[in-house]
Amino acid sequence: MRGFKGIFLLSVGLFLNINSVFAQLKIEQWNRFELKLPNNSDKNSFSDNLLSATFTHKDTSITVSGFYDGNNQYIVRFMPDKTGIWKYSTKSAFTPLNNKKGEFECIKASANNHGIVRVSQTYHFKYADSTAYFPLGTTAYAWTHMADDVQEQTLKSLQNSGFNKIRMCVFPKNYELVKEEPTIYPYAVKEIKKDAKGNEVKIWDFSQFNPAFFQHLEKRIDDLQALGIEADLIVFHPYDKGRWGFDEMPMEANLNYIKYLVARLASFRNIWWSLANEYDFVKSKTDKDWETLIKAVVKADPYHHLCSIHGSTAKYFNYQMPEITHTSIQDGAPVLNWGGAAIVRSIYPKPIIFDEVGYEGNLKSRWGRYSGEEMNHMVWMGLLGGTYVTHGESYMFKDHRDTIFWAKGGQFKGNSWKRAALARQILSETGPLEMADVSRDFKTATNGKGTYLIYFGKEMLEEWIFDLPHKNASSERPKPGTKYKVDIIDTWDMSITKVNTTFEASEANDYRIADKSNRKIRLPLKPYIALRITQTNPD
Amino acid sequence: MRGFKGIFLLSVGLFLNINSVFAQLKIEQWNRFELKLPNNSDKNSFSDNLLSATFTHKDTSITVSGFYDGNNQYIVRFMPDKTGIWKYSTKSAFTPLNNKKGEFECIKASANNHGIVRVSQTYHFKYADSTAYFPLGTTAYAWTHMADDVQEQTLKSLQNSGFNKIRMCVFPKNYELVKEEPTIYPYAVKEIKKDAKGNEVKIWDFSQFNPAFFQHLEKRIDDLQALGIEADLIVFHPYDKGRWGFDEMPMEANLNYIKYLVARLASFRNIWWSLANEYDFVKSKTDKDWETLIKAVVKADPYHHLCSIHGSTAKYFNYQMPEITHTSIQDGAPVLNWGGAAIVRSIYPKPIIFDEVGYEGNLKSRWGRYSGEEMNHMVWMGLLGGTYVTHGESYMFKDHRDTIFWAKGGQFKGNSWKRAALARQILSETGPLEMADVSRDFKTATNGKGTYLIYFGKEMLEEWIFDLPHKNASSERPKPGTKYKVDIIDTWDMSITKVNTTFEASEANDYRIADKSNRKIRLPLKPYIALRITQTNPD
């Protein structure tokens, strides 16, 4: 019966193909299907309700908004998740765009395509194909607004790094050390005025998007996708200061912008929505406004990409809001002191990302002058607490035209970026971590399956006597006789050294487990050392 | 004109008095007005909707529920806040209780009556008369269920202490070290069954409250009020384990219990509602149930007393819930490491109380064996972060019949309780604190008005070179030439030593302010030292 059914289904497939005029279009899961629809009309506009399409796969039906791409062309984009035949049908007030029907076959994702990133096990992430995703991002706010060669250099830098996420803004940035005028803008210019000082000020037509601006952004997001990097896209930011005014558009324009942006970009599988950077510095918007804008993004996005918002130092948005999938915190405090990161994780039942804890660099401002060691240390302090820390770099060797990676991208000049791959490697080997004995032991994390990670930070030790918490988070506690092997990880010198000793757990004594023979190991008397302690029995 | 109007108002007052048959009843603001209404009927019951009363004062109108107090008597209680004449009128399905009218005069509160405690300046508290309230509480969960002499001893202990809040349960406690059977229960017994072991098990009639139980609880809450102590009343708790079953009553019984409890107790000005202790250990209730119960309390309480809920270690309820006025956290982590308390405060826009961080004691369990020094240290670590920490003591010198203060009250046997008065004194002198330079300087708090508090914890220093953060929270930064005096506070030895040096702030240099002549002071090379640095000019 099973064999017969299979053959029957196959022949249906063949039947459909035979009846198609063109060869069946094949789209990988989580890749982008794109339908281009020309429409010669003087009524073409960027209004958000002119075109939609419903995609159907067996019992699943997803409706997406199309968008006007200029030049008398509308586009509908769709990201299929399930393999098999997807059929679509369009709706539009324009007859040539209405009731367009078609189908494509969604095929299994290829090896490097793991799909959209989702929350997993409350505090962590995985790709749609169940591959674990451990975010280790960096930041280059305005990299897509720099000169082309700088953008290409940024991509090369990222390719050579271990980063798998980047924080980047849609709008250009006007800040003390970032003054570059973009060559392309998101809106058409309605009028050019002169301000009191005689400078030209562009007055935008918020009803007229500039498709070329978004096409460029899309190209860069696809470039990142090819490198396996998630684009944590910052929808609004305060770094404008009257220069372009994108931080103080009317609320209606904000909402139209969101609808247009999401219609264009939701089908990019590596998109995350970050509603704002330093939202509390955007003077024109209240917390209530941000809630409205967050809800607008989530409502417009049929795939529910990850979504968060980022504040200034120690400014915590109400991350309990159900539409927010994870935190995106600016605060060094939780990773500068023991136990801090885990406190934040105890509070929010969501993945904790500290997206700004400081930058390795040489700036005058204290946020931009951490050593590479300190930057890397903060990454590990977060990791130990079962949380994730974003890297950042802000070296400037010449003047403000220098490409400070933090905003402009370009070349990495520091040292901590080279350590990202090791942190990700360790995480991919241990799996998601959490504190083993939260509130009591601030240096020991566990994967709940027999592996512990101890991180000593700046403490320099010449030996470690086997000593684990008996508590193993919410997992079963180790039994006497459990055997362990140990690796010494030098998080700064990037070495993993196997120790040739097998340890054996004794009976728990007053909340701790010692080795039966009080075995100990030599440590290199250096800072930034971690131990990975792995259960070896039962095999 | 003013004089004339005053006389006119006075004569209206006299006129009303002359027309009353009895002398006008006078009730202080925030004291309790009580109306006793007899009703001989075989239909008398504890049903919550049989009696209500509306109290009116000019434009203010407040409706409260009455309650059945047994013995054919109903009671209505009311806590007036505004001075002047309050009139009331009752509503009841029982004719003898219906449409009872009357009035009383609310007079100005006397010296020791500051009114109900409210949230102030987002993170702090004050009494209704605007007197600051800095919570420094202790814990004696089941003290009202002990023998009378122990209860009297508990009150004496509290009177001699500096505590101004106590966490205490309505229901009796059944726990490893607390096995006392109460002499009185909240419900009438419907039936006595024998369990498998032949032990008697009481089956309660949840429709029949036992007024004597609540009268006793009320007497004790009034006893606390006389001592200036807030009763942080724990409505539910998990320490029952099938003995009485008060932790697993049906939801309808829970809601009726809340209505009855609140009708009886909301007029007690020193009541705080704590929906539960270790709510997550109550197996019969979900987070959703707790939300329902919290809302039920807040809905029933016309005065909106402070309201929170308390979890097990590092279990943070969603304290963002609008009905929750402050946090009531069990977690040592935020006060065992620098910067932790302030992280929690950055997250919740509410007063942060750490209601359980550990206990000074000699128990085998690690939660109950901190030294007095450590307990006091945790109080100061919290205070430094602009938060509040609750004390607890758990010494047992004989066996489980010993009065461990944590649950049973009795005599304090430790040393940290003696330090509560000093912490409150310092707070009352500085006013509310917050970190001066959050995320950067983890040892310096400010009152935003020129006073700083630096706490060194376990660091033992022999000198301190004047050095303050230039940042002064969200307040104005100190100007060069600002003069300061310094007190050395030994938080353990309870001394405040004035330093005979006047310091003068220099220009800020890289985020910090030094003294113009680099003045420094000698410190006693002891742990638990704090410095209070107070601006002296302009006077």
Side-chain angles (χ1 to χ4, degrees):
Chain A
M1 273 304 283
R2 182 177 276 185
F4 175 73
K5 207 171 171 188
I7 290 161
F8 176 74
L9 285 171
L10 184 65
S11 54
V12 172
L14 286 172
F15 176 78
L16 287 169
N17 275 336
I18 289 159
N19 278 272
S20 300
V21 176
F22 305 104
Q24 178 82 39
L25 183 65
K26 290 185 193 331
I27 304 285
E28 278 187 31
Q29 289 170 286
W30 311 297
N31 267 359
R32 197 158 60 247
F33 169 81
E34 190 168 272
L35 180 68
K36 293 190 175 176
L37 296 167
N39 186 50
N40 289 311
S41 161
D42 57 3
K43 291 198 175 123
N44 283 341
S45 91
F46 293 95
S47 173
D48 64 289
N49 54 5
L50 288 178
L51 174 64
S52 70
T54 300
F55 290 79
T56 308
H57 174 286
K58 295 178 186 163
D59 296 339
T60 304
S61 178
I62 297 169
T63 299
V64 303
S65 294
F67 59 91
Y68 184 51
D69 196 39
N71 293 322
N72 289 337
Q73 179 162 271
Y74 285 79
I75 296 182
V76 170
R77 287 174 179 164
F78 180 67
M79 179 183 72
D81 54 351
K82 294 177 187 167
T83 57
I85 304 300
W86 285 85
K87 300 188 178 189
Y88 62 83
S89 171
T90 65
K91 265 196 180 170
S92 177
F94 293 123
T95 311
L97 308 186
N98 191 38
N99 210 26
K100 292 284 170 194
K101 288 176 194 292
E103 62 179 49
F104 65 88
E105 185 187 354
C106 176
I107 60 172
K108 221 174 143 39
S110 56
N112 290 325
N113 170 3
H114 301 294
I116 188 172
V117 176
R118 304 271 187 211
V119 172
S120 168
Q121 297 172 268
T122 308
Y123 300 103
H124 305 283
F125 301 96
K126 64 180 181 191
Y127 289 101
D129 75 350
S130 291
T131 306
Y133 172 82
F134 299 103
L136 217 169
T138 189
T139 305
Y141 290 126
W143 77 277
T144 63
H145 301 289
M146 299 298 120
D148 274 346
D149 60 330
V150 178
Q151 294 183 39
E152 292 301 328
Q153 180 57 60
T154 304
L155 289 167
K156 262 190 212 124
S157 299
L158 292 171
Q159 183 170 21
N160 295 331
S161 77
F163 298 119
N164 60 2
K165 176 169 99 71
I166 189 165
R167 285 184 60 74
M168 55 186 277
C169 301
V170 177
F171 293 130
K173 180 163 178 163
N174 179 34
Y175 200 74
E176 200 187 332
L177 305 168
V178 198
K179 296 282 180 196
E180 284 81 350
E181 186 67 28
T183 57
I184 194 166
Y185 302 99
Y187 292 102
V189 175
K190 189 159 66 179
E191 190 186 347
I192 294 182
K193 285 193 174 169
K194 299 251 178 185
D195 70 7
K197 290 178 189 161
N199 299 320
E200 285 191 351
V201 179
K202 295 184 178 71
I203 308 299
W204 309 104
D205 182 347
F206 292 129
S207 70
Q208 298 294 315
F209 292 105
N210 178 10
F213 175 92
F214 292 93
Q215 288 156 6
H216 172 71
L217 178 65
E218 287 158 7
K219 175 177 169 1
R220 290 317 186 190
I221 293 168
D222 271 341
D223 289 340
L224 293 171
Q225 190 182 104
L227 300 176
I229 295 172
E230 302 292 304
D232 194 0
L233 192 69
I234 298 164
V235 179
F236 295 98
H237 67 68
Y239 322 115
D240 193 306
K241 295 167 190 165
R243 183 155 159 199
W244 307 292
F246 301 136
D247 59 337
E248 46 180 16
M249 306 191 293
M251 199 59 174
E252 195 192 342
N254 292 332
L255 292 168
N256 284 336
Y257 158 62
I258 283 178
K259 283 186 235 168
Y260 191 69
L261 188 75
V262 176
R264 294 197 71 112
L265 286 174
S267 57
F268 287 63
R269 68 169 177 271
N270 62 328
I271 273 287
W272 300 19
W273 309 116
S274 179
L275 261 290
N277 219 53
E278 299 192 313
Y279 72 89
D280 48 310
F281 288 168
V282 180
K283 297 292 171 233
S284 64
K285 296 182 187 68
T286 64
D287 278 22
K288 275 273 161 227
D289 290 336
W290 289 117
E291 286 179 19
T292 302
L293 297 170
I294 290 167
K295 285 179 185 171
V297 167
V298 171
K299 193 181 165 201
D301 173 8
Y303 316 103
H304 300 302
H305 289 270
L306 295 167
C307 181
S308 195
I309 184 167
H310 183 75
S312 69
T313 300
K315 189 82 191 173
Y316 289 71
F317 197 80
N318 179 8
Y319 290 113
Q320 296 278 10
M321 188 177 165
E323 288 82 0
I324 295 179
T325 54
H326 62 285
T327 74
S328 171
I329 293 159
Q330 175 169 186
D331 197 2
V335 291
L336 286 170
N337 299 291
W338 295 106
I343 294 171
V344 180
R345 195 185 120 131
S346 294
I347 289 175
Y348 298 114
K350 307 195 175 184
I352 306 301
I353 303 184
F354 297 103
D355 263 322
E356 251 185 324
V357 295
Y359 293 79
E360 178 188 351
N362 63 352
L363 300 186
K364 218 181 152 191
S365 299
R366 59 186 181 177
W367 60 261
R369 64 185 194 194
Y370 282 102
S371 66
E373 287 86 344
E374 190 75 356
M375 180 79 247
N376 194 53
H377 170 62
M378 291 191 284
V379 167
W380 280 84
M381 287 290 278
L383 208 146
L384 185 72
T387 68
Y388 302 98
V389 176
T390 299
H391 164 271
E393 198 191 278
S394 54
Y395 282 103
M396 183 174 71
F397 290 109
K398 291 170 283 185
D399 58 24
H400 72 276
R401 288 164 298 177
D402 192 8
T403 62
I404 314 174
F405 202 93
W406 143 79
K408 305 185 186 183
Q411 275 187 307
F412 287 119
K413 300 162 192 168
N415 287 302
S416 57
W417 71 270
K418 299 169 195 163
R419 277 80 187 166
L422 176 67
R424 278 183 59 201
Q425 181 199 327
I426 298 296
L427 278 176
S428 71
E429 290 168 5
T430 62
L433 296 174
E434 63 183 311
M435 299 305 291
D437 191 4
V438 75
S439 305
R440 288 289 172 162
D441 178 338
F442 303 108
K443 294 185 181 165
T444 308
T446 175
N447 71 355
K449 298 168 184 169
T451 298
Y452 295 84
L453 186 89
I454 300 179
Y455 177 60
F456 298 115
K458 292 168 194 176
E459 246 189 296
M460 296 192 280
L461 302 170
E462 65 166 6
E463 63 177 31
W464 177 69
I465 303 170
F466 185 94
D467 174 32
L468 287 178
H470 189 217
K471 197 157 185 285
N472 187 19
S474 56
S475 303
E476 210 185 333
R477 293 169 188 222
K479 291 185 180 58
T482 307
K483 289 186 177 152
Y484 294 95
K485 61 177 183 173
V486 174
D487 297 313
I488 300 172
I489 302 163
D490 187 324
T491 69
W492 185 248
D493 281 349
M494 295 183 279
S495 65
I496 303 176
T497 309
K498 283 188 188 182
V499 177
N500 280 328
T501 308
T502 299
F503 299 87
E504 187 178 340
S506 63
E507 291 277 351
N509 179 13
D510 197 38
Y511 304 97
R512 304 292 299 185
I513 303 168
D515 175 74
K516 276 195 175 162
S517 311
N518 287 310
R519 288 180 188 89
K520 61 187 185 181
I521 56 174
R522 290 269 305 144
L523 294 182
L525 204 60
K526 288 167 68 181
Y528 313 120
I529 299 297
L531 300 179
R532 178 169 51 184
I533 299 131
T534 310
Q535 184 175 335
T536 59
N537 69 333
D539 295 322
Chain B
M1 271 305 279
R2 182 177 277 189
F4 174 75
K5 206 171 171 189
I7 289 161
F8 175 73
L9 285 171
L10 183 66
S11 55
V12 172
L14 285 172
F15 175 78
L16 286 169
N17 275 337
I18 288 159
N19 278 271
S20 301
V21 176
F22 305 104
Q24 178 81 41
L25 184 66
K26 290 186 191 333
I27 304 284
E28 278 186 30
Q29 289 169 288
W30 311 297
N31 267 0
R32 195 156 64 246
F33 169 81
E34 191 168 272
L35 180 67
K36 293 189 175 175
L37 296 167
N39 186 49
N40 289 312
S41 160
D42 57 3
K43 292 196 173 124
N44 283 339
S45 92
F46 292 95
S47 173
D48 66 288
N49 54 4
L50 287 177
L51 174 64
S52 69
T54 299
F55 291 78
T56 307
H57 174 287
K58 295 178 187 161
D59 296 340
T60 304
S61 179
I62 298 168
T63 298
V64 303
S65 294
F67 60 91
Y68 183 50
D69 196 39
N71 293 321
N72 290 337
Q73 180 163 270
Y74 285 79
I75 296 181
V76 169
R77 288 174 178 163
F78 180 67
M79 179 182 74
D81 55 350
K82 293 178 188 167
T83 56
I85 304 300
W86 286 85
K87 298 187 180 190
Y88 62 83
S89 171
T90 66
K91 266 198 182 170
S92 176
F94 293 122
T95 310
L97 309 185
N98 191 38
N99 208 27
K100 292 284 170 192
K101 288 176 192 290
E103 63 179 49
F104 65 87
E105 185 187 353
C106 175
I107 59 171
K108 221 173 145 39
S110 57
N112 290 325
N113 171 1
H114 301 294
I116 188 171
V117 175
R118 304 271 188 210
V119 171
S120 168
Q121 296 172 269
T122 307
Y123 301 103
H124 305 282
F125 300 97
K126 64 179 181 190
Y127 290 100
D129 75 350
S130 291
T131 305
Y133 171 83
F134 300 103
L136 217 168
T138 189
T139 305
Y141 289 127
W143 77 278
T144 63
H145 301 289
M146 299 297 121
D148 274 348
D149 60 329
V150 177
Q151 295 183 40
E152 292 301 327
Q153 181 58 59
T154 304
L155 289 167
K156 262 190 212 125
S157 298
L158 292 171
Q159 182 170 22
N160 294 330
S161 77
F163 298 119
N164 60 3
K165 177 169 98 72
I166 189 166
R167 284 183 62 73
M168 54 186 278
C169 300
V170 176
F171 292 132
K173 180 163 180 165
N174 180 34
Y175 201 73
E176 201 186 334
L177 306 167
V178 198
K179 295 283 180 196
E180 285 81 349
E181 186 67 28
T183 55
I184 194 167
Y185 301 98
Y187 292 102
V189 176
K190 189 158 67 178
E191 192 187 343
I192 294 183
K193 285 192 176 170
K194 299 252 177 183
D195 69 10
K197 292 178 189 162
N199 298 320
E200 286 192 350
V201 179
K202 295 183 179 73
I203 309 298
W204 309 105
D205 181 348
F206 291 131
S207 71
Q208 298 293 316
F209 292 104
N210 178 9
F213 175 92
F214 292 92
Q215 286 156 8
H216 171 72
L217 178 65
E218 287 158 8
K219 175 178 169 358
R220 290 318 187 190
I221 293 168
D222 271 342
D223 289 340
L224 292 170
Q225 189 182 105
L227 300 176
I229 295 173
E230 302 292 303
D232 194 0
L233 193 68
I234 297 164
V235 179
F236 294 98
H237 67 66
Y239 322 115
D240 193 305
K241 296 166 190 166
R243 184 156 158 198
W244 307 292
F246 301 135
D247 60 337
E248 45 180 15
M249 306 191 293
M251 200 58 175
E252 193 192 343
N254 293 332
L255 292 169
N256 283 337
Y257 157 62
I258 283 177
K259 284 186 230 168
Y260 190 69
L261 189 75
V262 176
R264 295 197 70 113
L265 286 173
S267 57
F268 287 63
R269 69 169 176 268
N270 62 325
I271 273 288
W272 299 20
W273 309 117
S274 178
L275 262 289
N277 219 53
E278 298 191 315
Y279 72 89
D280 48 310
F281 287 169
V282 180
K283 297 291 170 231
S284 64
K285 296 183 186 70
T286 64
D287 278 22
K288 275 273 162 227
D289 290 336
W290 289 117
E291 285 179 19
T292 302
L293 297 170
I294 290 167
K295 285 178 185 172
V297 166
V298 171
K299 192 182 166 201
D301 173 8
Y303 315 104
H304 300 302
H305 289 268
L306 295 167
C307 180
S308 194
I309 184 167
H310 183 74
S312 68
T313 300
K315 189 83 190 171
Y316 289 72
F317 197 81
N318 178 7
Y319 291 113
Q320 297 278 10
M321 188 178 165
E323 288 83 359
I324 295 179
T325 53
H326 62 286
T327 74
S328 171
I329 293 158
Q330 175 168 186
D331 197 0
V335 291
L336 285 170
N337 298 291
W338 295 108
I343 293 171
V344 180
R345 195 184 119 131
S346 293
I347 289 175
Y348 298 114
K350 306 195 176 185
I352 306 301
I353 303 185
F354 297 104
D355 263 324
E356 251 183 325
V357 294
Y359 292 79
E360 178 188 350
N362 62 353
L363 300 186
K364 218 179 152 190
S365 298
R366 60 186 181 178
W367 61 260
R369 64 186 194 192
Y370 282 102
S371 67
E373 286 86 343
E374 190 74 356
M375 180 79 247
N376 193 54
H377 170 61
M378 292 191 283
V379 168
W380 281 83
M381 287 291 277
L383 207 146
L384 185 72
T387 68
Y388 301 98
V389 176
T390 299
H391 165 272
E393 197 191 277
S394 55
Y395 280 103
M396 183 174 71
F397 289 109
K398 291 169 284 185
D399 57 24
H400 71 275
R401 288 164 299 179
D402 192 8
T403 60
I404 314 174
F405 203 93
W406 143 77
K408 306 186 185 184
Q411 274 186 309
F412 287 119
K413 300 161 190 167
N415 289 302
S416 57
W417 69 272
K418 299 169 194 162
R419 276 78 186 167
L422 176 67
R424 280 182 58 201
Q425 181 198 326
I426 297 297
L427 278 176
S428 71
E429 290 169 3
T430 63
L433 296 175
E434 63 183 311
M435 299 305 292
D437 191 3
V438 76
S439 305
R440 289 289 173 163
D441 178 338
F442 303 109
K443 294 185 179 163
T444 309
T446 176
N447 70 354
K449 297 167 186 169
T451 298
Y452 295 84
L453 186 88
I454 300 179
Y455 177 59
F456 298 114
K458 291 167 192 175
E459 246 190 296
M460 296 192 280
L461 302 170
E462 65 166 3
E463 63 177 30
W464 177 70
I465 302 170
F466 185 94
D467 174 31
L468 287 177
H470 189 217
K471 197 156 185 288
N472 187 21
S474 56
S475 304
E476 208 185 334
R477 296 172 185 218
K479 290 186 180 60
T482 308
K483 289 186 177 153
Y484 295 95
K485 60 178 183 174
V486 174
D487 298 313
I488 301 173
I489 302 164
D490 187 324
T491 69
W492 185 249
D493 282 349
M494 295 182 280
S495 65
I496 304 176
T497 310
K498 283 188 190 182
V499 177
N500 280 328
T501 309
T502 299
F503 299 87
E504 189 177 339
S506 64
E507 290 278 350
N509 179 12
D510 196 37
Y511 304 98
R512 305 291 299 185
I513 302 168
D515 174 73
K516 277 198 175 160
S517 311
N518 285 310
R519 290 179 187 91
K520 60 187 184 179
I521 57 174
R522 290 270 303 144
L523 293 181
L525 203 61
K526 289 167 68 182
Y528 313 120
I529 299 298
L531 300 180
R532 178 170 52 186
I533 298 132
T534 311
Q535 183 175 336
T536 60
N537 69 334
D539 295 321

